Amino acid sequence: MPDLDRRALLGLALTGGVLAGCSGGEPEPAATTATTTATPTATATATATGAPDAETDPSFVPSGLSSTQRTVYRYGDHYRQVSDLWLPTGERRDAFVVVVHGGGWEAGYDRRDINDLVGDLVTRGYPTLNVDYRGFGDGGGWPTTFTDTATAVDLAAVAATQFSLPLERVCLVGHSAGGHLAMWAASRGTLPSGAPGADPKVEPALAASLSGVLHPSVAYGEDANVVGLFGGSPAEVDDRFALGDPSRRAPYGIPLWAGAGTADEVVPYSQTQFFVDAVTAAGDTVEEQLVDGADHVAGKDPGGPIVPLFRAWLEQRLA
């Protein structure tokens, strides 16, 4: 790998909603609905009309899996207010992975955006919870994208009880905007009382980011997606960035992993570098993997160069 200036790219400005490309070009899903096969509340809630039917739409089933392996936990009326638990058909690893999708925190992308990674993890024996949340423009933004993510992640506690999964061996991982939310969710235990997402029911043993937006306070102030998520720029709503920027939430107190490609034109790898420097300075243990020539989509591709590095770390940490 060439000698990379760990500060030169921090000033790279991404304007005009560049993060809209986080999904790697998948078509937008249709408007909204999921079927509840399990619910964390006593009464199932109604779903929005005109939504994709997750029970019958095959695009909600990751390749290599069957809908019979899925249990859906609903926490709201919107079709994206669910967490899909996928269980291996054979032997299960003694671990529990919670996955957060990307897509620029936009309304146009849902949990299907990370299906390839989910399918890969489940076929390798990992029970996996694929969480979803509302994006800005469709009920999301500040603080609801954060509170949705927190609630969706906390459903891992319900799933762990129902299926005897190891809640003390949870790894949170996400790609792109999902890398931001996964790492933020891993820091919820240090949020002040009353902050969005405070008082978590699930505190992970590990957390990882795949090409994530890990320092939105820097270089993203003019990015329409970041402004859409936080409801303003860092200069306007710095108190929100202080709570929702993963680089400003250290120390985490758990092992961390952060990977990105040097050819990523959607989220610059300087975001990963800044995060690694910040958490290391705070005393955290973090493994950084910068893959020469890898682009943004490679961050979520099980057959690409980044995901196998994450899997190797996960297996080592949870051996």
Side-chain angles (χ1 to χ4, degrees):
M1 185 186 301
D3 184 20
L4 301 172
D5 186 343
R6 295 174 65 83
R7 289 292 174 267
L9 293 181
L10 288 177
L12 178 62
L14 302 183
T15 60
V18 173
L19 284 177
C22 279
S23 71
E26 289 88 338
E28 291 191 2
T32 45
T33 251
T35 300
T36 302
T37 56
T39 176
T41 57
T43 305
T45 57
T47 59
T49 58
D53 186 346
E55 184 178 19
T56 60
D57 188 335
S59 69
F60 282 91
V61 180
S63 178
L65 304 185
S66 164
S67 60
T68 60
Q69 294 172 254
R70 176 180 58 196
T71 301
V72 179
Y73 298 93
R74 174 166 297 283
Y75 63 91
D77 294 346
H78 197 284
Y79 93 100
R80 288 175 60 165
Q81 290 182 297
V82 299
S83 290
D84 287 343
L85 174 67
W86 296 92
L87 294 176
T89 55
E91 184 177 355
R92 298 179 192 169
R93 293 178 184 258
D94 186 25
F96 189 5
V97 183
V98 178
V99 177
V100 189
H101 72 84
W105 311 283
E106 287 190 279
Y109 300 98
D110 58 30
R111 59 198 180 278
R112 289 174 285 183
D113 188 64
I114 202 74
N115 267 358
D116 288 347
L117 178 61
V118 171
D120 179 71
L121 290 168
V122 176
T123 57
R124 293 175 186 273
Y126 290 101
T128 302
L129 190 73
N130 188 4
V131 308
D132 214 339
Y133 52 88
R134 289 171 293 172
F136 71 85
D138 192 18
W142 182 271
T144 48
T145 293
F146 292 87
T147 54
D148 274 11
T149 301
T151 305
V153 168
D154 281 346
L155 288 169
V158 179
T161 298
Q162 184 174 0
F163 292 100
S164 300
L165 303 177
L167 195 60
E168 73 284 358
R169 293 170 63 81
V170 167
C171 176
L172 273 170
V173 61
H175 172 254
S176 192
H180 161 262
L181 290 172
M183 203 62 77
W184 168 81
S187 76
R188 290 169 55 208
T190 64
L191 288 170
S193 180
D199 304 315
K201 297 177 182 177
V202 174
E203 297 200 42
L206 306 171
S209 165
L210 303 164
S211 308
V213 184
L214 297 180
H215 192 37
S217 297
V218 169
Y220 280 77
E222 298 300 319
D223 184 87
N225 292 66
V226 172
V227 171
L229 174 66
F230 284 93
S233 70
E236 297 166 327
V237 290
D238 187 66
D239 57 328
R240 298 179 181 180
F241 282 83
L243 296 174
D245 182 331
S247 289
R248 299 171 67 175
R249 299 304 316 152
Y252 284 73
I254 59 174
L256 306 171
W257 188 93
T262 64
D264 193 329
E265 296 183 354
V266 179
V267 178
Y269 65 87
S270 57
Q271 287 276 305
T272 294
Q273 292 178 314
F274 194 104
F275 174 80
V276 168
D277 287 349
V279 299
T280 300
D284 284 321
T285 299
V286 56
E287 180 173 327
E288 178 184 38
Q289 292 283 355
L290 298 180
V291 180
D292 202 17
D295 63 12
H296 191 63
V297 176
K300 63 178 179 178
D301 179 5
I306 296 176
V307 172
L309 298 174
F310 159 68
R311 285 198 309 255
W313 173 81
L314 179 65
E315 292 177 5
Q316 178 186 21
R317 286 290 179 175
L318 294 181

